[in-house]
Amino acid sequence: MNTAPNRTAIIRNALIASLLLFVLVSAVVMAGLVDGLDRQISAALVMTVDNAPRWWILFMQGVSWIGGGLPRWGIVILLCALVWHWCGPRCAAALGGASLLANFASSVLKISFGRPRPDLVPHLDHVGSAAYPSGHATSAAVVYLLLAWLAPQRWRAAACALAASMIILNAFSRIMLGVHWASDIVGGTLLGTAFALAAAWWVGPRSAPEIGALREK
């Protein structure tokens, strides 16, 4: 039985849901309805040089460094080569294209929303843009969720574990370093998820049989 149409419908519905949730979260954030909750979460998690071990601060800074700037794009290039090996150029184009478009969308939305960064403590990471949505969270979601989707069956569990780890670590690092509110992370994760789903939908039926065959090897 051909399950490609069902799979495509599920991806499409999940994409619509993630976009609607992103719009809803954005509206709630811009209305200031979660400001109090954001401050409570940040106050519980944020680090300073006086209240956290130096090694823990360095670790979280390292996580953020990997998730942004040139290191992020180096990782994307390497993962594009990997998924090309797994399922061909269309998969590599999907991962690279979705990563670029998600990053662009996040940058434009930051300018549009103009939400200030947290001001609870001195920032432990350099930032030069507005807060919402988190670019780190957007990138982590689009890159690693799409990688997990494109992975062959024998690598699927490892790819899913990597995706969960990178998304969670990026989320906590940005809050703990004092540069993002929790709702920035939620919005960025939803935005990245939407781009990952859109890319998976684009890869779609043409590559589904090939991916399926590779997953069963």
Side-chain angles (χ1 to χ4, degrees), residues 15-187:
L15 171 59
I16 294 170
S18 62
L19 287 172
L20 289 175
L21 282 172
F22 174 73
V23 172
L24 176 61
V25 169
S26 299
V28 169
V29 167
M30 290 305 105
L33 300 179
V34 292
D35 287 356
L37 180 60
D38 273 335
R39 286 189 171 272
Q40 290 178 17
I41 294 172
S42 286
L45 295 177
V46 74
M47 301 185 297
T48 68
V49 293
D50 297 322
N51 72 6
R54 179 62 178 164
W55 67 268
W56 187 236
I57 293 175
L58 289 173
F59 175 74
M60 285 300 175
Q61 287 174 334
V63 170
S64 281
W65 180 78
I66 291 172
L70 290 177
R72 170 180 57 199
W73 295 117
I75 291 171
V76 168
I77 291 170
L78 291 175
L79 293 180
C80 284
L82 179 62
V83 298
W84 189 315
H85 171 72
W86 279 344
C87 55
R90 189 176 180 87
C91 295
L95 180 59
S99 301
L100 286 169
L101 290 173
N103 181 258
F104 176 75
S106 174
S107 298
V108 171
L109 288 168
K110 281 175 180 288
I111 295 171
S112 299
F113 290 121
R115 190 186 197 192
R117 297 274 181 169
D119 55 359
L120 299 181
V121 298
H123 296 161
L124 292 176
D125 193 24
H126 174 73
V127 289
S129 60
Y132 185 86
S134 166
H136 279 68
T138 301
S139 294
V142 66
V143 172
Y144 295 105
L145 289 177
L146 191 52
L147 177 69
W149 169 257
L150 296 173
Q153 186 62 44
R154 61 180 174 176
W155 298 112
R156 177 65 70 81
C160 288
L162 177 64
S165 298
M166 293 305 295
I167 290 170
I168 292 170
L169 281 173
N170 266 283
F172 276 96
S173 73
R174 303 309 283 167
I175 299 173
M176 295 176 77
L177 294 173
V179 295
H180 271 299
W181 304 109
S183 55
D184 300 334
I185 305 299
V186 174

